[in-house]
Amino acid sequence: MTSSLNTKIIFRFLGITAVLNGIFMFIAYPFSVFHNEDAKWGILNAGIVTIIIGLLLYFLNKPKSTNIKKKEGYLIVSLGWLILSLTGMLPYLLSGTIPSVADAFFETISGYSTTGSSILTDIESMPKGILFWRSATHWIGGMGIIVLTVAILPLLGIGGMQLFMAEAPGPSADKLHPRITDTAKRLYLIYIALTFAQFFLLKVAGMTWFDAINHAMATMSTGGFSTKNTSVAFYNNLPLVQYIIIFFMFVAGTNFVLTYFALKGKVRRVFESEEFKYYFFGIIGVSMLIAIIIIFFQDPNLQTTIVHPMVYGKVESAIRHSLFMVISVVTTTGFVSADFTMWNFFATGIFFALFFTGGSAGSTSGGIKIVRHIVMLKSSFLEFKKALHPNAIIPVRLDGKSVPPTIVFNILSFFIIYMLIFVLASVILTLFGLDFMSALGAAASSLGNIGPAIESVSPVNSYAHLSDAAKWFCSFLMLIGRLELFTVLILFTPFFWRKN
C-alpha cells in the first residue's frame, strides 16, 4: 500500500530548487561574455531551460497543505539533489564542453556532492564560464541548497524543520537560533563571509581574481575543483597561497556552530568540544608523521610528477605539503599540492585510512565524521568495562554529556552500513573493469566525497578512463555519501512507502 504523500508540495519544492539553480547559472554567464566564449549561449540556454522547468513544477502544483512531514522531507532532499544534478549538467551539454551524458552527470554530481572527482583531462582549456559554473556547483552543494531554500520558505508559506534535519550534515543538527529559518540564514552568512574573506586573501597572495573566487568556492564547500590541471600544486612557488587554503580547508571542516561561536568571541566553547580537539590534534599528529616520512623515508624509486619536497632542501616544504594533503583528505576537500601515492607506500596506506575519517559533524565535509568515530571508540571501550562489571550502567559521554543509546545505535548502524557499502561497491567496480586497488580507491573516494584516491584514480589522474557504467555507479555513491546514507537508502525500503 502506498503512502499518502503530499506530492504537490514535493514537486513545488523541487521547482523552487530548479529556479534557484537556474539563477546561479545566469551568474556564470557574464564570465563567458567577458571572455567572448561560444559557451555563453549554452550557459544562457541552460539557465533559461532550468528556470522554465522550475516554474512549471512550482505553478502546476498547488498543495492544499503546506505541512512537510518527515517522509516528504526525505524525498525532497534526495530528489532535490537529483534535480540539481540533472539540470546542473545542462551547461556542459548545451555548450558542448562535455557532450557525453554520463560524463556531464558525473562531473555535475561530483560538484554538488563536493566530491571533486573529475572526468576532465585538460581543465585549463575549458571556457571560463564553464569553469566558474563547475566551481559554483561546489559552492551550492557545500552548505546545501536545501538549507538556503529553508531560509526563504516562510516567504512561501512553507515550514522547513524536517528538511533541515534531513539535510544537516552529521548525526545531529545543532541550532544557533530557536527558529530553524534563522539558523539557516546564520549558517549561510558565515559561509558567504568566509568565502569572500578567502577570495580576498588569495587575490592578495598572488592568484588572479578568477582563480581566487573559484578556489575560494571550492575550499569553503570542501569540494576541490581547481581551475588548474595540477590543482593547487600549480602554486607550489607561492607558499602563502597554499597556507591560506590550508587554513580555510581546516575551517570548512570544522563544525559551523563552533565557527559561529569563535566569530562571536567565544573561543573557549570551541576548545571545549571533544570532536574539535580530536580533529585539531589528529591533523597535527598525522601531518608531522607524514612530514617525517617525506624527509627521512621517502622511497627513492618513487618519482612524483607534481613535487618532490626535498628538491628544495627545505623542511618547511615537506611540512607544508604533508599538512596540506592531510587536511585536504580529512576534510574531504580533495585539493592536491603533491601526489601522496608517490611519497612512500606506508604514507599511501595512512592516506587510505584517512579516507574513512571525514571532518566534523555540522561542517561541509563528507565522510564518516570524527564525532562518530569518537562515540564508536568510547562505546567499544565501555564494553570492556561492562565485561568486568556486567550490572553497571555506564553511559557513553561526549563533551561531558550522556549520549542517548538511540544515537549510539544509530552511529554504529551507520558505520556498519557504510563499510558494507564500501566493500560491495569495491567488488562491483571491479566488474566494471577497474583493477582491485583502483576499485578500492574509487569506492572509498566516491562514498566519502573525497576526490583523489589511489592507483589509476590517484591525485594526478582523472576519472575519464572509467566506463560509463562505473561513472554512473560512482555518481550514485557520491549522492548517498553526501546525504549520509540513510536519507537516500531509506527510499529503497518497503516500509517507507507504506501508510503509517
Side-chain angles (χ1 to χ4, degrees), residues 241-252:
V241 165
Q242 295 183 340
Y243 280 120
I244 291 170
I245 294 176
I246 285 171
F247 173 77
F248 281 95
M249 282 195 297
F250 179 83
V251 172

Side-chain angles (χ1 to χ4, degrees), residues 71-120:
K71 283 189 176 182
E72 280 89 355
Y74 283 117
L75 272 171
I76 288 171
V77 171
S78 298
L79 295 178
W81 232 259
L82 189 59
I83 198 168
L84 278 177
S85 300
L86 290 172
T87 56
M89 68 178 178
L90 292 179
Y92 299 128
L93 294 174
L94 297 183
S95 66
T97 50
I98 305 180
S100 164
V101 174
D103 286 351
F105 187 82
F106 180 95
E107 196 77 10
T108 306
I109 202 164
S110 177
Y112 286 118
S113 65
T114 70
T115 302
S117 303
S118 181
I119 51 83
L120 299 179

Side-chain angles (χ1 to χ4, degrees), residues 293 297 299 302 340-350 455:
I293 290 172
F297 302 103
D299 191 331
L302 296 178
F340 59 78
T341 65
M342 293 291 104
W343 283 341
N344 177 282
F345 292 122
F346 179 52
T348 303
I350 293 174
E455 293 298 324

Side-chain angles (χ1 to χ4, degrees), residues 29 32-33 37-48 91 94-95:
Y29 176 69
S32 265
V33 173
E37 298 167 339
D38 292 337
K40 62 178 178 290
W41 300 115
I43 296 171
L44 180 64
N45 292 332
I48 293 171
L94 297 183
S95 66

Side-chain angles (χ1 to χ4, degrees), residues 413-435:
S413 299
F414 178 92
F415 182 76
I416 292 170
I417 294 172
Y418 191 98
M419 296 309 296
L420 284 174
I421 292 174
F422 162 67
V423 172
L424 182 61
S426 300
V427 174
I428 292 173
L429 284 172
T430 61
L431 292 176
F432 294 146
L434 273 74
D435 63 87

Side-chain angles (χ1 to χ4, degrees), residues 56 59 83 97 232 283 300 334 346 367 376 410 479 486 490 498:
L56 288 174
F59 287 110
I83 198 168
T97 50
V232 183
I283 285 175
F346 179 52
M376 284 190 296
N410 177 279
L479 176 64
F486 294 152
I490 196 172
R498 293 174 189 158

